[in-house]
Amino acid sequence: MTATDVASSPVEVPKNLTAETVTAVEHYTDALFRFRMTRPPGFRFRSGEFVMIGLPGTPRRAYSIASPSWDEELEFFSIKVPGGPLTEHLQKIVPGDTVFLGKKPTGTLVSDALLPGKRLFLFATGTGAAPFASVVRDPETYDKFERVIFTETCRTVPELRYAQDVLADTEANALMHEFVDGRLTLFDSATREPYPRTGRITDLIRTGTLFETLDIAPLDPATDRAMICGSMAMLRETQALLEERGFTEGANNKPGSYVVERAFVD
Ligand code: A2P
């Protein structure tokens, strides 16, 4: 088969997936990038949910949807794993390429799994910021909570840019600006480079630095709610810190004071 034959063969779309077209790609570092794609008509999701993503000929992986539900396209924030069966190929996509998208978004990082509360803490490391990029751009988040504190920790400073861009976009968006009304705060920290805020979020909670820096009250399970998304080690540690402070894990069928989900990687 020649290259022309490959390019002109129609892509066979596996069952339970749709074929979408890449509309934009932005690389932040050699480890992180974001991409946008068309959104099929009728594709609905709740902010914070994930969906399966794949390319023709690759395995599929769960990806948190980073765009808000009102966006006419879908956005994703991805790691690039050297030799990763999906991300090795996914990191090379360009506008016009085909990406397979699952039809059934699902997940636990949804406000329906949280009891009503006053402050919402979103604790992310690395690509764990993806579901929160959707949550902070959802007007419903501001109907449910008085204050939203989004923390993102990465090894290096350039890796923090995605969360910073999301904040800037949210504030620049006329509709969102009105909903947010100064109630959204980003606390970003780097662990392996100098930056105004440094250290792991777990240490910053433990020492109280997070609350002192933002000049806010410490965590209180009576009125605070939290979502956690990052590596397995970060999840376990943050979860333990919350449980020690009296928080209980929630689920879709039994809301609680915090919810947790692993940032998926290959
Ligand atoms: P550190 O640089 O101290 O390892 P990774 O890329 O390994 O997932 O790490 C992303 C960010 O999460 C890094 O800033 C890393 O800090 C931090 N991190 C790693 N493990 C934990 C943990 N158990 N608790 C909190 N933060 C963590």
Side-chain angles (χ1 to χ4, degrees):
M1 210 190 236
T2 64
T4 323
D5 290 334
V6 174
S8 57
S9 346
V11 177
E12 202 177 306
V13 184
K15 218 171 135 238
N16 297 326
L17 301 176
T18 59
E20 302 306 320
T21 306
V22 176
T23 57
V25 182
E26 185 175 5
H27 293 268
Y28 294 98
T29 66
D30 57 10
L32 295 175
F33 72 113
R34 80 176 172 111
F35 57 98
R36 292 176 65 83
M37 63 169 81
T38 51
R39 174 176 175 176
F43 181 90
R44 289 175 188 282
F45 62 98
R46 294 179 296 172
S47 302
E49 288 189 320
F50 64 80
V51 67
M52 301 310 283
I53 291 280
L55 291 173
T58 70
R60 295 181 281 278
R61 295 285 185 260
Y63 267 81
S64 292
I65 303 168
S67 45
S69 52
W70 47 262
D71 197 329
E72 64 188 27
E73 292 182 344
L74 295 172
E75 180 171 305
F76 299 91
F77 181 43
S78 179
I79 196 166
K80 307 175 197 175
V81 180
L86 173 59
T87 64
E88 181 68 31
H89 304 285
L90 195 61
Q91 65 179 284
K92 297 183 187 125
I93 56 170
V94 292
D97 285 352
T98 297
V99 173
F100 291 146
L101 174 76
K103 291 182 181 169
K104 292 207 164 121
T106 184
T108 55
L109 295 180
V110 291
S111 59
D112 291 343
L114 291 175
L115 295 163
K118 290 192 174 161
R119 300 189 301 181
L120 176 65
F121 285 83
L122 305 168
F123 297 118
T125 54
T127 55
F132 303 149
S134 181
V135 172
V136 301
R137 293 187 277 188
D138 183 347
E140 198 182 273
T141 302
Y142 304 91
D143 284 342
K144 291 190 170 175
F145 297 96
E146 291 172 10
R147 181 102 196 247
V148 180
I149 296 119
F150 175 18
T151 83
E152 164 71 325
T153 306
C154 292
R155 296 179 182 199
T156 67
V157 176
E159 291 176 322
L160 296 172
R161 213 181 86 222
Y162 181 69
Q164 294 163 352
D165 286 355
V166 166
L167 259 277
D169 286 354
T170 309
E171 269 149 22
N173 179 298
L175 168 83
M176 283 312 299
H177 185 82
E178 210 170 290
F179 279 104
V180 175
D181 192 24
R183 294 182 290 142
L184 168 64
T185 306
L186 174 67
F187 180 97
D188 52 354
S189 71
T191 49
R192 302 196 188 186
E193 280 183 2
Y195 192 62
R197 293 163 295 283
T198 54
R200 290 183 171 194
I201 194 64
T202 40
D203 293 332
L204 299 170
I205 294 172
R206 219 175 271 123
T207 58
T209 307
L210 171 65
F211 314 104
E212 281 158 28
T213 308
L214 297 178
D215 196 19
I216 57 174
L219 287 170
D220 177 356
T223 50
D224 292 337
R225 304 292 168 250
M227 295 185 177
I228 319 170
C229 193
S231 65
M232 196 50 93
M234 177 272 193
L235 295 189
R236 285 215 187 97
E237 232 185 276
T238 313
Q239 198 167 5
L241 278 173
L242 291 180
E243 299 254 343
E244 276 164 29
R245 284 160 179 73
F247 284 74
T248 53
E249 186 171 359
N252 274 297
N253 57 359
K254 191 175 178 293
S257 45
Y258 80 91
V259 284
V260 64
E261 201 159 78
R262 188 163 173 245
F264 302 88
V265 289
D266 27 36

